[in-house]
């Protein structure tokens, strides 16, 4: 049997523990051959920094994809994160449709924002395109901010929703066409934070103790560990629980003065 080959598409933030600098080591730790398609190269991630550089790689993508097609390369899984432009979503859709093996798995983390706000560089038009793109996914991994923008609904923050709201939100997100939804940042009680999973039939929850910190890049750490676990054979609930535990371990390994990202490297030995 050929070993699994995965393609992850997201930016390189040269400094800042997020996107590809997080995804590659985590996916490698699962023993997966990981190919990359950088969507953009930034000097740092956009949150908490000013004056960062941004090289949009949209125009490079068609030639890269053409080369892969000529080489007859195929991928068993796709995992997309921070995408640099609307045009890229079109190119990436084509890659997913043409370069997957039979039964290839697609995980889309619709990275766009957090805490009720879009990250710099994104707008509602991009969110509408991202919503269409989500129809290609086996699993989407939005947080509450991304869920709101995908559905063109108001953002509802922790403490202001209950289980029936989350149930409705999961079902509306599934209406975008993804087979499974894993909603992150769910909390019904101040002491617990976790994920809600909807597989088209049932809803499952997985909670950890609430840690009163907000650290950058945890969404990418979660998505990378989730994808690594799922592509390695875990089911969606197992993969989500493993990824949530890994985020908690990474946060615990991070000193409070650390300015960006989490020290996932310190927890990497425990990720499987
Ligand atoms: O962690 C998400 C992310 C990824 N890539 C870039 C970002 C962010 C969040 O701010 O700025 C460039």
């Amino acid at each position: 049997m050929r070993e699994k080959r995965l393609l992850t598409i997201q930016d390189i933030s040269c400094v800042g523990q997020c996107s590809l600098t997080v995804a590659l080591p985590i996916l490698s730790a699962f023993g997966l051959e990981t190919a990359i398609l950088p969507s953009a190269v930034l000097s740092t991630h956009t949150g908490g920094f000013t004056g960062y550089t941004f090289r949009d790689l949209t125009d490079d993508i068609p030639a890269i994809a053409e080369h892969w097609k000529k080489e007859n390369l195929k991928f068993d899984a796709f995992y997309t994160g921070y995408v640099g432009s609307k045009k890229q979503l079109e190119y990436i859709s084509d890659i997913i449709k043409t370069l997957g093996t039979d039964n290839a798995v697609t995980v889309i983390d619709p990275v766009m924002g957090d805490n009720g706000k879009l990250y710099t560089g994104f707008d509602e038009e991009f969110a509408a395109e991202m919503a269409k793109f989500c129809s290609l996914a086996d699993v989407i991994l939005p947080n509450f901010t991304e869920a709101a923008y995908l559905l063109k609904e108001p953002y509802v923050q922790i403490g202001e929703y209950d289980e029936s709201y989350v149930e409705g939100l999961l079902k509306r997100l599934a209406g975008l066409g993804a087979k499974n939804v894993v909603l992150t940042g769910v909390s019904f009680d101040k002491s617990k934070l976790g994920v809600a999973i909807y597989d088209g039939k049932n809803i499952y929850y997985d909670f950890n103790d609430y840690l009163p910190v907000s650290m950058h890049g945890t969404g990418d750490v979660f998505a990378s560990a989730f994808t690594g676990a799922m592509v390695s054979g875990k089911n969606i609930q197992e993969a989500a629980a493993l990824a949530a535990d890994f985020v908690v371990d990474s946060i615990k390994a991070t000193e409070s003065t650390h300015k960006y990202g989490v020290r996932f490297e310190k927890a990497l030995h425990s990720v499987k």
Side-chain angles (χ1 to χ4, degrees), residues 78-260:
F78 301 95
Y79 154 37
T80 71
Y82 183 105
V83 171
S85 70
K86 273 189 300 181
K87 188 78 189 163
Q88 271 184 23
L89 291 173
E90 217 179 277
Y91 292 151
I92 299 168
S93 300
D94 177 65
I95 288 175
I96 291 173
K97 286 178 192 158
T98 56
L99 288 173
T101 54
D102 294 344
N103 307 318
V105 168
T106 300
V107 177
I108 294 179
D109 184 2
V111 175
M112 289 187 293
D114 206 359
N115 300 314
K117 292 205 180 89
L118 290 174
Y119 297 133
T120 311
F122 293 108
D123 56 19
E124 285 170 15
E125 235 181 280
F126 180 89
E129 291 305 312
M130 181 59 93
K132 289 186 211 152
F133 180 63
C134 283
S135 67
L136 296 179
D138 292 281
V139 188
I140 55 171
L141 307 171
N143 59 31
F144 276 75
T145 303
E146 290 151 353
Y149 276 96
L150 287 172
L151 296 169
K152 298 191 179 134
E153 292 182 8
Y155 167 68
V156 183
Q157 59 188 21
I158 287 182
E160 291 180 357
Y161 56 75
D162 58 13
E163 253 187 84
S164 71
Y165 170 76
V166 169
E167 190 181 318
L169 192 62
L170 288 167
K171 292 185 175 165
R172 293 193 293 285
L173 286 164
L176 298 176
K179 295 191 187 82
N180 300 275
V181 179
V182 178
L183 179 66
T184 59
V186 179
S187 181
F188 298 121
D189 117 38
K190 283 196 181 107
S191 66
K192 300 276 174 204
L193 184 71
V195 298
I197 300 156
Y198 180 55
D199 63 7
K201 276 194 201 137
N202 297 307
I203 293 173
Y204 310 91
Y205 290 97
D206 178 77
F207 289 105
N208 280 301
D209 287 342
Y210 189 93
L211 300 174
V213 290
S214 166
M215 289 181 173
H216 211 93
T218 48
D220 299 342
V221 172
F222 177 85
S224 302
F226 173 85
T227 305
M230 192 184 144
V231 175
S232 309
K234 299 247 189 294
N235 69 35
I236 288 175
Q237 281 171 266
E238 291 165 342
L242 181 152
D245 289 348
F246 181 58
V247 170
V248 168
D249 290 347
S250 301
I251 291 173
K252 285 183 177 161
T254 308
E255 71 280 15
S256 60
T257 51
H258 186 59
K259 282 218 174 64
Y260 48 80

